[in-house]
């Protein structure tokens, strides 16, 4: 994390504070988000009466339901069940932070860094990589934990792209969601589902008050050259080109 004396650090799920205390010794302030009141008590007891106490701020509650404060870096051994929503909360947070060093379940971490054409490549991979640079730093075996969990873990570094790509993320995610529902199908097939046609027809009418969306979808796919492509092998640039192709014909995904 390359912590600095002037840093404000966000930690999610501090538990009894092993990592928290190490960070408090190095930085200006740690804001720890903890949902379990018993652990909050443990953490407060641990720093009570020490010079670290005034550098620790504890936010009690569900981090997914609270507004994130200002911070320079996020360093956390995350509760694994909130991995995906928390990553996107982080990446859409403003002002920008420098980096996040997070521990995840191994398979989740490998999805974050997966490349087009590989087995684990999915909507999570492309959405994260659109908004950030992601690096797999190290593996952490289950025997490093007491008691040992059933899963292996990994530490990942996430660095937001600043400035972010000039794209409406809601629209982007709408397109990617459709493409990855059946990532092994061609896009021509994926866009033929009646639910997709209804959604796009509705959006199209809002924007243009016109019909005949089905034909238009297939025309855009053909004209952009993506008709026979499959989501599993398409990269960020492919999806940006495709989104522009749809938008320029008045087809929207938000």
């Amino acid at each position: 994390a390359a912590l600095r004396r002037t840093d404000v650090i966000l930690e999610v799920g501090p538990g009894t504070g092993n990592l928290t205390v190490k960070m408090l010794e190095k930085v200006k302030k740690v804001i720890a988000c903890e949902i379990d009141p018993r652990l909050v008590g443990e953490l407060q007891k641990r720093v009570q009466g020490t010079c670290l106490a005034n550098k620790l701020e504890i936010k009690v509650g569900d981090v997914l339901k609270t507004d994130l404060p200002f911070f320079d870096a996020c360093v956390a051994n995350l509760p694994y069940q909130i991995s995906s929503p928390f990553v996107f909360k982080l990446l859409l947070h403003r002002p920008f932070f420098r980096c996040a060093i997070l521990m995840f379940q191994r398979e989740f971490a490998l999805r974050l860094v997966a490349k087009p054409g590989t087995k684990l490549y999915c909507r999570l991979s492309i959405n994260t990589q659109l908004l950030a640079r992601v690096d797999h730093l190290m593996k952490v075996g289950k025997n490093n934990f007491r008691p040992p969990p059933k899963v292996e873990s990994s530490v990942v570094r996430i660095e937001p792209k600043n400035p972010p790509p000039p794209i409406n993320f809601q629209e982007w995610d709408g397109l990617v969601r459709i493409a990855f529902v059946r990532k092994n199908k061609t896009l021509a097939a994926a866009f033929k589902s009646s639910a997709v046609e209804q959604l796009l027809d509705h959006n199209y009418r809002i924007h243009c008050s016109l019909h005949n969306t089905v034909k238009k979808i297939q025309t855009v796919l053909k004209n952009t050259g993506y008709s026979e492509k499959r989501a599993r092998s398409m990269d960020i640039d492919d999806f940006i080109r495709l989104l522009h192709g749809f938008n320029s014909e008045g087809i929207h995904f938000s």
Side-chain angles (χ1 to χ4, degrees), residues 81-228:
Q81 69 275 18
I82 66 165
S83 297
S84 188
F86 183 70
V87 165
F88 287 105
K89 190 174 174 84
L90 262 191
L91 291 176
L92 299 173
H93 175 69
R94 299 294 178 269
F96 282 99
F97 55 94
R98 188 172 72 241
C99 72
I101 307 290
L102 302 169
M103 182 141 65
F104 295 117
Q105 189 172 328
R106 173 84 41 86
E107 185 167 314
F108 183 87
L110 294 177
R111 285 180 194 281
L112 287 178
V113 298
K115 293 289 171 250
T118 60
K119 197 171 122 217
L120 289 175
Y121 186 63
C122 60
R123 184 172 143 234
L124 174 73
S125 325
I126 193 164
N127 276 350
T128 311
Q129 291 166 33
L130 172 78
L131 299 171
R133 179 190 159 162
V134 196
D135 296 297
H136 183 285
L137 299 183
M138 62 192 276
K139 295 176 175 178
V140 183
K142 44 188 158 191
N143 294 330
N144 291 289
F145 298 89
R146 296 282 174 277
K150 290 190 170 70
V151 297
E152 302 286 342
S153 301
S154 281
V155 178
V156 168
R157 177 188 173 90
I158 298 175
E159 204 175 309
K161 289 180 183 171
N162 184 7
I167 280 174
N168 175 329
F169 184 74
Q170 238 179 329
E171 280 232 35
W172 161 274
D173 189 46
L175 167 62
V176 169
R177 191 186 295 258
I178 291 166
F180 274 95
V181 166
R182 300 270 181 280
K183 68 174 182 176
N184 297 326
K185 272 188 171 183
T186 65
L187 290 192
F191 276 84
K192 272 185 183 140
S193 105
S194 58
V196 171
E197 284 169 3
Q198 278 169 3
L199 167 76
L200 297 185
D201 192 41
H202 173 70
N203 287 347
Y204 189 62
R205 272 181 284 165
I206 290 171
H207 286 275
C208 301
S209 317
L210 281 171
H211 281 301
N212 210 3
T213 319
V214 181
K215 211 150 137 204
K216 224 168 174 75
I217 292 169
Q218 298 303 326
T219 307
V220 170
L221 290 173
K222 210 176 258 142
N223 291 348
T224 51
Y226 289 108
S227 193
E228 296 307 306

